Amino acid sequence: MADTSRLHLELTPTNLRNISRALRAEEDGKELRKELTRNMREALKPGAAQAKSAIMSMASTTPHDGPALKTSIARKIRPEVRISGKFPGAKIKAFKTKNLRNFPNAPKRTNRASGWRHPVYGNREVWVQQTGKADWFDRAFEGQDAHYKRQVQFALADMVNRIASRSD
């Protein structure tokens, strides 16, 4: 593992943009950028798996004909890495569930303590308030934030060391 303490490498958008520029200047920069983003995603994959298991543990008792809510949400949880652009960074994200029973914001709504409102079996006259498993996404990472940040920093430091060793 690379030592990030002596590099004073912080996960800031500016640092990620600088590393991205340095990679672009290299002859095989495109491959190095792909490798860096792949390594950063790999560092976050265990966290995504924790979030998936957290949503899968949500209770569900309502019978319906449509696709399973928990499974659809779990499929949309994945690490996202950007090393350039306006908002560079690495995060685990629960993407919208576009075609899930007219409920695109399912990940966000099931995470809220207040839940969401919906019509009963499509009857727009009768609405109910439903709650999911409050803070399932946030609690999946409790106490693990520093670990995942450190793993991403190690991936970044490895790439910085590779680039630095080429110029020596």
Side-chain angles (χ1 to χ4, degrees):
M1 288 277 177
D3 181 21
T4 60
S5 61
R6 70 180 172 87
L7 290 172
H8 303 291
L9 190 62
E10 291 294 320
L11 280 176
T12 63
T14 306
N15 284 348
L16 284 172
R17 282 189 200 103
N18 291 339
I19 291 169
S20 178
R21 279 190 210 107
L23 290 174
R24 219 177 285 134
E26 292 293 318
E27 185 177 317
D28 57 343
K30 197 170 191 175
E31 288 77 29
L32 291 174
R33 284 170 55 96
K34 284 180 185 177
E35 183 179 340
L36 174 60
T37 56
R38 186 180 334 111
N39 291 344
M40 290 170 73
R41 258 193 310 277
E42 289 296 321
L44 294 175
K45 274 189 179 175
Q50 284 179 326
K52 287 178 184 185
S53 71
I55 188 60
M56 292 304 288
S57 68
M58 181 176 78
S60 70
T61 57
T62 309
H64 57 81
D65 295 335
L69 181 66
K70 300 184 304 187
T71 308
S72 297
I73 293 171
R75 265 192 233 121
K76 293 291 191 168
I77 298 172
R78 57 184 169 264
E80 181 182 65
V81 174
R82 292 182 183 170
I83 60 170
S84 61
K86 192 172 182 179
F87 301 108
K91 59 188 167 190
I92 298 170
K93 192 171 177 182
F95 290 88
K96 285 189 173 189
T97 52
K98 290 186 178 160
N99 297 324
L100 177 66
R101 296 186 265 155
N102 295 322
F103 193 21
N105 291 319
K108 182 169 48 172
R109 300 288 189 250
T110 55
N111 194 45
R112 290 193 322 196
S114 62
W116 67 97
R117 288 176 40 85
H118 65 89
V120 178
Y121 294 108
N123 182 356
R124 297 258 176 214
E125 303 291 320
V126 183
W127 287 72
V128 293
Q129 181 74 23
Q130 189 170 347
T131 56
K133 185 179 178 185
D135 295 331
W136 61 266
F137 190 80
D138 304 324
R139 288 186 185 148
F141 310 110
E142 273 184 353
Q144 299 287 324
D145 299 354
H147 170 73
Y148 294 120
K149 186 175 181 178
R150 191 170 48 254
Q151 294 302 316
V152 169
Q153 283 178 326
F154 284 146
L156 216 56
D158 284 339
M159 188 57 65
V160 168
N161 287 338
R162 281 179 61 183
I163 293 171
S165 68
R166 288 179 171 194
S167 62
D168 290 340

